[in-house]
Amino acid sequence: MLAGMHNAAVALLVLSALAAGFAYWGLETAAGRQHFDEMAGIIPFAAALASVLLALLAALAAWLGRRRGRAGGAGAPPRTDLR
């Protein structure tokens, strides 16, 4: 399970970087601004917001993977000190 969460976090981080690169191109370069003029400019702006969301999801996936990895996973014996 830990490897799956790690792979998910890496994939989300790569997608976040790609979306951020597209957003930068669309918003900050002359070619991007020419391609996405007027209302079409919302596309790179939405990509920038998506990159932030994907980065947050990557951090959450990495945190969950580490948390589950420390807990012992499915093979850990059940706790008996719960009340």
Side-chain angles (χ1 to χ4, degrees):
M1 184 66 171
L2 182 62
M5 285 296 210
H6 175 72
N7 292 343
V10 169
L12 287 169
L13 198 57
V14 167
L15 286 174
S16 174
L18 289 173
F22 173 75
Y24 178 80
W25 174 79
L27 294 172
E28 299 296 328
T29 65
R33 284 192 306 270
Q34 183 179 7
H35 189 73
F36 294 105
D37 62 340
E38 299 195 16
M39 283 304 291
I42 195 126
I43 295 170
F45 183 73
L49 293 176
S51 72
V52 171
L53 179 64
L54 288 169
L56 291 173
L57 288 174
L60 179 65
W63 178 73
L64 284 175
R66 288 184 186 194
R67 185 170 179 235
R68 289 183 181 172
R70 267 191 258 132
R79 291 181 55 186
T80 57
D81 61 340
L82 301 175
R83 295 180 190 208

